[in-house]
């Protein structure tokens, strides 16, 4: 099954842009990855899914246009433009693998985004 | 409004059991798979398991860390999915979320219920 790796922290100034990275383990370069936002004290919120061709399907409810994704090689990126205070959150990436009783859903360790 | 509401969390001793519930509303529950995901304090998300719909024979799958101890079931007449947790360990302490998968990702999440395993 894939392993997803995320840097533990990132920071950006109000109004700036930031790109968060989720790296798939080798041999899984074709996998799609989901991004989830988790504000402090809240449950996760679906942002969008990304494959090698970019976004897959639709964004989650209420996700602003400032959020975009890109996929390249083993990396799946989430870019946030014009960062706002409400974007300060933990961001998790996840991917499913296998089928039937061997199905698993794996998550990265999450990246804590601090808005300066 | 599409909504998931978890309940049943609490304090339990190591080796004990607990059953969580997740009540769904606002969508066709019977046609949807359902997943459980947990999060220990200060840690990332960990997938626990999933149950598919009746059309897919209520097939289940579990993370290796809980296989043989946890069981997911559902009661479509009550729009509810359950997580039966047995032989609980201190490392099972976490907030437990239920979530619904869509074609695009897990698009609906509950608010979570807290399970604490401690003597």
């Amino acid at each position: 099954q894939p392993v997803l790796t995320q840097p533990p922290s990132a920071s950006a100034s109000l109004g700036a842009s930031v790109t968060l990275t989720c790296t798939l383990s080798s041999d899984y370069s074709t996998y799609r990855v989901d991004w989830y936002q988790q504000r402090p004290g809240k449950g996760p919120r679906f942002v969008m899914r990304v494959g090698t061709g970019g976004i897959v399907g639709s964004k989650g409810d209420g996700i602003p246009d400032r959020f975009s994704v890109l996929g390249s090689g083993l990396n799946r990126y989430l870019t946030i433009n014009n960062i706002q205070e409400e974007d300060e959150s933990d961001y998790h990436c996840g991917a499913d693998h296998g089928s039937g009783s061997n199905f698993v859903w794996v998550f990265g360790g999450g990246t804590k985004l601090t808005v300066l | 409004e599409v909504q998931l509401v978890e309940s049943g969390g609490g304090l339990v001793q190591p080796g004990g059991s607990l059953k969580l519930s997740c009540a769904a509303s606002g969508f066709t529950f019977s046609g949807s798979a359902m997943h459980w995901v947990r999060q220990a304090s200060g840690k990332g998300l960990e997938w626990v398991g999933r149950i598919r719909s009746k059309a897919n024979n209520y097939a289940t799958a579990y993370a290796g860390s809980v296989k043989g101890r946890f069981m997911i079931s559902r009661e479509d007449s009550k729009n509810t999915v359950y997580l039966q947790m047995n032989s609980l360990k201190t490392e099972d302490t976490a907030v437990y979320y239920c979530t619904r998968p869509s074609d695009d990702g897990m698009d609906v999440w509950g608010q979570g219920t807290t399970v604490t395993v401690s003597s």
Side-chain angles (χ1 to χ4, degrees), chain B residues 14-75:
Chain B
S17 297
L18 201 61
K19 187 173 185 177
L20 308 183
S21 300
C22 169
S25 59
F27 65 97
T28 305
F29 176 81
S30 60
S32 180
M34 295 297 296
H35 294 247
W36 287 93
V37 175
R38 68 184 180 183
Q39 185 174 36
S41 180
K43 303 296 185 181
L45 301 174
E46 180 187 15
W47 177 77
V48 173
R50 72 104 194 262
I51 185 167
R52 300 187 73 181
S53 65
K54 180 179 181 180
N56 292 287
N57 300 314
Y58 300 123
T60 56
Y62 300 93
S65 58
V66 306
K67 194 173 290 186
R69 300 188 299 122
F70 289 12
M71 185 177 73
I72 300 174
S73 61
R74 62 190 297 160
E75 198 166 358

Side-chain angles (χ1 to χ4, degrees), chain A residues 1 7 9 14 16 20-22 25 28 31 42-43 67 72 75 82 84 89 91-92 94 103 107 113 115:
Chain A
Q1 65 191 51
S9 63
L14 197 64
L20 308 181
T21 304
C22 175
S25 52
Y28 296 97
Y31 274 50
K42 301 294 186 182
F67 286 69
S72 177
N75 293 321
N82 186 22
Q84 302 299 302
S89 303
Y91 290 85
H92 308 273
F103 174 94
F107 290 96
L113 175 63
V115 179

Side-chain angles (χ1 to χ4, degrees), chain B:
Chain B
E1 179 190 8
V2 177
Q3 194 173 13
L4 298 171
V5 179
E6 302 94 337
S7 60
L11 175 64
V12 60
Q13 292 188 339
S17 297
L18 201 61
K19 187 173 185 177
L20 308 183
S21 300
C22 169
S25 59
F27 65 97
T28 305
F29 176 81
S30 60
S32 180
M34 295 297 296
H35 294 247
W36 287 93
V37 175
R38 68 184 180 183
Q39 185 174 36
S41 180
K43 303 296 185 181
L45 301 174
E46 180 187 15
W47 177 77
V48 173
R50 72 104 194 262
I51 185 167
R52 300 187 73 181
S53 65
K54 180 179 181 180
N56 292 287
N57 300 314
Y58 300 123
T60 56
Y62 300 93
S65 58
V66 306
K67 194 173 290 186
R69 300 188 299 122
F70 289 12
M71 185 177 73
I72 300 174
S73 61
R74 62 190 297 160
E75 198 166 358
D76 290 344
S77 63
K78 294 185 177 181
N79 286 353
T80 301
V81 61
Y82 305 99
L83 178 64
Q84 175 68 48
M85 304 184 293
N86 301 323
S87 303
L88 281 160
K89 306 175 181 180
T90 55
E91 53 263 41
D92 295 319
T93 295
V95 176
Y96 284 73
Y97 298 97
C98 63
T99 178
R100 179 194 78 166
S102 70
D103 290 340
D104 298 335
M106 296 190 190
D107 67 342
V108 183
W109 293 72
Q111 84 289 350
T113 187
T114 300
V115 173
T116 303
V117 184
S118 174
S119 55

